[in-house]
Amino acid sequence: MITLERLKKIALVFVLATIISIVFLSIFQDKFDATEWRVNPDVRYKMANDIIEQKVLYSKTREEVIQLLGLPDVLDVSSTDYLAYKLGTPPNFFDAEPQHLVIKLEDNKVVKVVVEQD
């Protein structure tokens, strides 16, 4: 039978785990900042989720994206439908793969933005 004291300890563990998780998530995520994006490409991974969640790029033209983010890091001259930007490698306990922000355009408008690993 579970006692009231044991329930309190279990609840405390869950609360502490939640707080720790929130703190770690906030450390590895930043709000999108165009200047920071251009100056520190190795930490772009911190801003990628904000770009996606806030739909910063949706409905923008190719030219507007390039004006905001700079020239893409991965150029595929055969395709005008995609832009890709290196995000750097986020810290990880295992061997982390470098990531890219991949932007899909249709009719010269952004329709999809995703993070992909190499």
Side-chain angles (χ1 to χ4, degrees):
M1 181 173 207
I2 298 178
T3 66
L4 184 58
E5 281 301 313
R6 183 160 172 87
L7 281 176
K8 286 181 181 178
K9 287 179 183 178
I10 292 171
L12 180 63
V13 168
F14 280 116
V15 168
L16 288 175
T18 301
I19 292 170
I20 291 169
S21 298
I22 291 170
V23 168
F24 276 116
L25 285 175
S26 67
I27 288 172
F28 296 116
Q29 290 187 0
D30 288 340
K31 296 282 184 198
F32 172 69
D33 178 301
T35 303
E36 186 71 16
W37 178 272
R38 291 172 186 245
V39 173
N40 285 321
D42 291 338
V43 294
R44 290 176 176 169
Y45 64 87
K46 292 182 177 183
M47 294 179 266
N49 282 339
D50 190 54
I51 289 172
I52 294 168
E53 290 171 5
Q54 299 302 317
K55 300 183 184 212
V56 171
L57 303 175
Y58 283 89
S59 299
K60 291 199 182 313
T61 65
R62 178 185 190 85
E63 293 75 26
E64 290 171 326
V65 172
I66 291 172
Q67 184 178 2
L68 187 64
L69 302 181
L71 290 172
D73 297 311
V74 181
L75 291 174
D76 182 358
V77 291
S78 66
S79 173
T80 58
D81 296 335
Y82 290 93
L83 298 171
Y85 292 86
K86 293 179 183 176
L87 295 178
T89 305
N92 196 323
F93 292 114
F94 307 102
D95 290 332
E97 295 290 325
Q99 297 179 339
H100 289 86
L101 185 73
V102 179
I103 303 160
K104 181 175 181 2
L105 298 108
E106 287 179 5
D107 298 324
N108 198 36
K109 296 280 186 180
V110 175
V111 294
K112 187 175 183 180
V113 182
V114 295
V115 173
E116 292 186 358
Q117 290 189 349
D118 282 349

